[in-house]
């Protein structure tokens, strides 16, 4: 095990974990987005409620969900350790710094963007996950199929301007985080190739635009058109 | 002939490693556009010396872009505003007449200031000592063409070997990370047959020493490569990651 502790204590090992947890979260977001599109079905939430029930009761998904919690926590904890390590590597800063000349804003502000996403996650989990799984105080109705009506809760929440604004801020942060993070995760893994790296970069940009846009469409749809 | 230019210089002065240091302002006049940046500082220092003041200390040696000694952070960028050029190879035509030029030392925990604009870059030497070499028996020079090397690898190794160890990558990086330097030094040997026997040990030892020296981790911002006077490519960092991970698990 010596090699393992050495690996995860090294700067490269920490980055390896950032990359792997980041890619895991990226995969999760696609599945989460596809499932959530049930909200647009126009069946008063029957499909959406059935999907929510499936996600919270299926044993396989149940196991994966614990992996997901661990992944997020690990990603955040390592992000914070890296932040402090990186800060301490330059105790005296520059008086005049032209960072724009050599790097993108999002690449220099991954921690800030991550913290915005984290703040959004707290709001998001408190609103739905906490209510649905841990009975946070909201009285669920039962829909026509006998499932708890989380759809009604989603509609109610998304009708508030606070939800709309916090979701949009969180998703804009996600866009910037992934605009840099998607390719960065491959670079960290050492997956670099003359032919495929431009492809990964293009795919990363596409992902960073489409996934947050997809998520944003839900509160926007409910707030303005429902 | 274009007219000569005048500048206001805002320069970091620090008598020694222990003292606090501060910016001092100087005026230089009648500088021709073909003057190199270091020659401009020579002119300033001559004036200071004649006035009996302590000249501004800065590192330099070859003044032809190959030794890696010159190391000035100018107007917010290492080696100044020109692309893929060391500060010794940059000319004053890059700076507008009458402008103020801010000159600072490289800033990193691993590169402490010795005096004024001179920093201690021996951390790089210790990284090289940890593994940036190959062990060969001395004796008769071997035939340069005896070992076949693919053109592609030979080119990549030569590109990596262009690194002059100046430290601009560290100076530019928001994390003061030395990844570009270390990746170039690991790559130039990992790509060649002569580097194979010590390949794994090298990657592990050099990264370990890099961490020990207090350089930051890599966030893949790309600032290093964008500011590198030798254009060392980011793909070297990906190669270092590969080298390190495979060496760790095997
Ligand atoms: C669903 C949410 C998230 C996704 C999909 C995600 C994804 C990623 C990816 C792919 C990377 C690139 C890894 C690399 O450079 O190797 C990354 C980096 C990073 N993430 Fe996240 N992330 C998420 C949430 C967060 C949160 C909540 C934080 C909280 C602080 C955070 C902080 C960071 C930081 C600081 C980095 C850069 C680390 C570095 O290179 O120094 N992320 N993220
Ligand atoms: S990688 Fe470039 S910037 Fe860094 S030390 Fe080598 S030559 Fe200088
Ligand atoms: S003085 Fe040698 S590279 Fe500038």
């Amino acid at each position: 095990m010596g090699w393992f502790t050495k690996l995860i204590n090294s700067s490269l090992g920490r980055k390896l974990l950032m990359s792997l947890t980041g890619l895991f979260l990226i995969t999760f977001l696609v599945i989460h987005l596809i499932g959530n599109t049930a909200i647009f079905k126009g069946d008063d939430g029957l499909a959406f409620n059935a999907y929510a029930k499936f996600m919270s009761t299926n044993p396989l998904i149940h196991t994966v969900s614990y992996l997901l919690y661990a992944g997020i926590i690990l990603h955040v904890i390592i992000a914070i350790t890296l932040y402090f390590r990186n800060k301490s590597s330059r105790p005296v800063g520059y008086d005049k710094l032209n960072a724009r000349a050599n790097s993108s804003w999002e690449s220099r502000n991954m921690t800030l963007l991550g913290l915005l996403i984290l703040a959004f996650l707290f709001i998001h989990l408190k609103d739905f996950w906490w209510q649905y799984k841990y009975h946070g105080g909201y009285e669920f109705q039962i829909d026509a199929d006998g499932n708890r009506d989380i759809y009604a809760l989603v509609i109610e929440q998304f009708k508030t301007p606070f939800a709309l604004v916090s979701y949009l801020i969180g998703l804009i942060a996600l866009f910037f985080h992934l605009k840099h993070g998607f390719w960065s995760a491959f670079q960290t893994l050492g997956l670099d190739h003359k032919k495929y790296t431009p492809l990964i970069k293009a795919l990363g940009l596409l992902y960073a635009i489409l996934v947050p846009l997809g998520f944003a469409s839900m509160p926007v749809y409910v707030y303005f058109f429902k | 002939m274009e007219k000569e230019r005048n500048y206001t210089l805002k320069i970091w002065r620090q008598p020694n490693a222990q003292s606090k240091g501060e910016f001092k302002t100087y005026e230089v006049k009648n500088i021709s556009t073909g003057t190199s940046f270091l020659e401009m500082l020579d002119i300033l220092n001559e004036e200071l010396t004649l006035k009996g003041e302590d000249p501004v200390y800065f590192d330099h040696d070859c003044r032809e872009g190959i030794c890696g000694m010159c190391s000035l952070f100018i107007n917010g960028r290492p080696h100044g505003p020109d692309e893929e050029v060391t500060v010794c190879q940059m000319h004053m035509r890059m700076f507008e007449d009458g402008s103020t030029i801010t000159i600072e030392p490289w800033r990193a925990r691993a590169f402490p200031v010795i005096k004024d604009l001179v920093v201690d870059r021996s951390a790089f030497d210790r990284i090289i000592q940890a593994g940036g070499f190959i062990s060969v028996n001395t004796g008769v020079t071997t035939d340069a063409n005896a070992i076949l090397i693919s053109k592609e690898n030979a080119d990549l190794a030569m590109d990596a070997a262009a690194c002059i160890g100046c430290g601009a990558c560290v100076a530019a990086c928001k994390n003061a990370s030395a990844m570009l330097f270390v990746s170039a030094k690991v790559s130039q040997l990992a790509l060649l047959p002569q580097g194979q026997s010590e390949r794994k040990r090298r990657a592990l030892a050099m990264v370990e020493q890099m961490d020990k020296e207090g350089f930051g981790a890599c966030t893949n911002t790309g600032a290093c490569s964008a500011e590198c006077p030798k254009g060392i490519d980011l793909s070297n960092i990906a190669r270092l990651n590969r080298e390190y991970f495979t060496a760790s698990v095997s």
Side-chain angles (χ1 to χ4, degrees), chain A residues 3 6 10 46 68-69 93 101 103 129 131-132 136 141 179 199 211:
Chain A
W3 66 270
K6 206 165 154 181
S10 73
L46 290 181
L68 183 67
Y69 307 148
S103 52
W129 174 80
Q131 297 293 347
Y132 198 71
Q141 304 297 310
K179 185 166 178 275
L199 215 66
V211 170

Side-chain angles (χ1 to χ4, degrees), chain B residues 38 60-70 86-88 164:
Chain B
L38 298 190
H60 62 102
D61 188 15
C62 71
R63 298 207 176 190
E64 49 188 25
I66 55 174
C67 77
M69 273 311 277
C70 56
T86 53
V87 52
C88 60
I164 54 176

